Amino acid sequence: MLILGLESSCDETGIALYDLGAMRLLAHAVHSQVAMHEAYGGVVPELASRDHIRRIIPLAREVFGRAGCDVSDLGLVAYTEGPGLAGALLVGASFAHALALALRVPALGIHHLEGHLLSPLLSARPAGFPFVALLVSGGHTQLMRVDAVGRYLLLGETQDDAAGEAFDKTAKLLGLGYPGGPALSQVALRGVSGRYRLPRPMMDSGDLDFSFSGLKTAVLTLVRGREPSEEFTADVARAFEDAVVDVLVAKCAQAMDATGLARLVVAGGVGANRSLRAALDARGKRCGFEVFYPEPELCTDNGAMIAFAAALRVNAGLAAPRRNAFTVRPRWELGEASGIAEPP
Ligand code: KG4
Ligand code: ZN
């Protein structure tokens, strides 16, 4: 049976075809809206929705073409039901339900985070269950324990800004480009560690939660009234990256300790950060855990993770589509999705 996976929760249109019988990804494609939102310094929801509308059908055609399949081969249409931007989610949901209705096959809403959590199993070097996942992107900063399909435990999450959001906002303060993470980490390479010291928010809070909004304010205080120079900007960028990396690594190590697990998977755009990777690898070596970095195309938002999560749900008997379930859930706790456990 073929599964079509659709992702449209934010600023990426992602489409994939997954063969359930062969347990194989046949083809997938992603269209990123980053260039369109760049001029505004962040995602503009209305523009995001309109762009999903423009892209979704041509992108679907492209994926069917690459896989050498036809819509009549589909047995299930899976789409991101939430969380995310309401208008953007509605585009994927409308397309999924219309196609499913026309083909008389079921449509299945998937929780976006479940897609992220299971995508490491799609990697060329898959991390087996159980593992701890660090999701660090523009929209998420979470530590989860992943035991099996449908068995996820939220260990900790950000209380305010996501890590990628903090990179983006700080990069904006420093006059660097959007998205800020890659630009800021590039500039930080030329900075000197320790020339400026920024706080490590919640590093010793005794739990696995994060807070990043104070860091941005600390940077603002540092740069206010200063004549910007290349050297100063590089040193501040270095100080910011050092602080974020220290906190992320410390919390990951605490999570590995608390769970007693031996595998850590890092997903999301911030996982591309080289300083973070080097520091996590070093800590893993010292503390006896292995770190997995799935391919970037699987870490950022994509349709493959949605099709794959649907496939694993079908196999686990957790895919009963609800009747008349044309819904999107812009705010959707992982624990509310059926078959998914969270702490009491
Ligand atoms: O997972 P992702 O591609 O998309 C969504 O959030 O939807 O993550 C994008 C985020 C942005 O905030 C970007 O600034 C950050 O990941 N990012 C990085 C790096 N590359 C991307 N942050 C730090 N260092 C990087 N090298
Ligand atoms: Zn995401």
Side-chain angles (χ1 to χ4, degrees):
M1 178 174 89
L2 286 195
I3 299 176
L4 183 70
L6 305 164
E7 156 62 33
S8 70
S9 65
C10 188
D11 58 346
E12 263 104 18
T13 317
I15 300 193
L17 272 169
Y18 191 85
D19 184 335
L20 185 66
M23 285 305 275
R24 195 165 69 85
L25 182 66
L26 298 182
H28 84 119
V30 174
H31 177 265
S32 167
Q33 303 176 353
V34 162
M36 185 182 76
H37 297 295
E38 195 177 3
Y40 307 94
V43 177
V44 184
E46 180 59 25
L47 294 182
S49 315
R50 293 182 196 191
D51 200 62
H52 285 304
I53 292 173
R54 263 196 302 273
R55 305 283 173 185
I56 200 160
I57 292 176
L59 204 63
R61 286 212 168 97
E62 183 186 325
V63 170
F64 276 104
R66 274 202 231 161
C69 301
D70 188 76
V71 281
S72 59
D73 301 326
L74 284 183
L76 176 69
V77 185
Y79 66 99
T80 304
E81 187 174 337
L85 302 171
L89 289 166
L90 273 168
V91 178
S94 310
F95 182 78
H97 280 279
L99 189 60
L101 195 67
L103 297 171
R104 297 180 191 279
V105 298
L108 180 67
I110 294 289
H111 195 291
H112 180 80
L113 288 184
E114 181 171 41
H116 275 304
L117 290 177
L118 296 176
S119 66
L121 304 177
L122 248 183
S123 165
R125 182 176 165 248
F129 292 127
F131 57 84
V132 171
L134 171 70
L135 291 183
V136 267
S137 69
H140 333 286
T141 300
Q142 287 176 321
L143 274 163
M144 313 270 309
R145 180 188 167 118
V146 182
D147 282 292
V149 180
R151 286 185 57 204
Y152 318 112
L153 192 70
L154 179 67
L155 301 171
E157 64 184 335
T158 184
Q159 305 298 298
D160 40 58
D161 290 353
E165 193 180 355
F167 266 96
D168 294 338
K169 288 179 175 172
T170 303
K172 203 169 176 184
L173 274 178
L174 294 176
L176 306 170
Y178 171 85
L184 190 148
S185 56
Q186 205 52 38
V187 169
L189 287 176
R190 296 194 294 274
V192 177
S193 270
R195 192 161 279 165
Y196 299 102
R197 172 94 191 157
L198 292 172
R200 267 66 177 155
M202 291 185 76
M203 191 148 95
D204 301 309
S205 58
D207 56 27
L208 296 170
D209 287 335
F210 304 85
S211 166
F212 290 109
S213 68
L215 257 183
K216 170 196 65 200
T217 314
V219 170
L220 184 63
T221 310
L222 202 57
V223 301
R224 192 179 281 146
R226 286 278 303 241
E227 254 330 288
S229 74
E230 229 172 79
E231 189 188 350
F232 176 66
T233 303
D235 289 340
V236 175
R238 177 81 266 150
F240 172 82
E241 192 176 80
D242 286 350
V244 175
V245 168
D246 274 2
V247 173
L248 290 174
V249 172
K251 295 282 176 172
C252 284
Q254 288 163 23
M256 299 315 287
D257 222 33
T259 56
L261 299 185
R263 283 182 291 262
L264 172 70
V265 174
V266 183
V270 183
N273 187 280
R274 292 217 192 137
S275 308
L276 176 65
R277 286 185 175 214
L280 277 176
D281 290 342
R283 184 66 70 94
K285 244 188 209 126
R286 221 172 65 226
C287 300
F289 59 84
E290 201 180 350
V291 192
F292 292 75
Y293 306 95
E295 298 78 353
E297 60 173 323
L298 294 177
C299 286
T300 56
D301 290 350
N302 64 82
M305 70 183 191
I306 302 303
F308 184 60
L312 293 186
R313 281 201 150 239
V314 168
N315 281 347
L318 293 170
R322 283 163 291 120
R323 288 180 73 79
N324 304 322
F326 186 104
T327 49
V328 292
R329 304 179 194 219
R331 291 176 169 273
W332 189 13
E333 292 298 323
L334 196 47
E336 289 169 28
S338 66
I340 300 183
E342 272 194 281

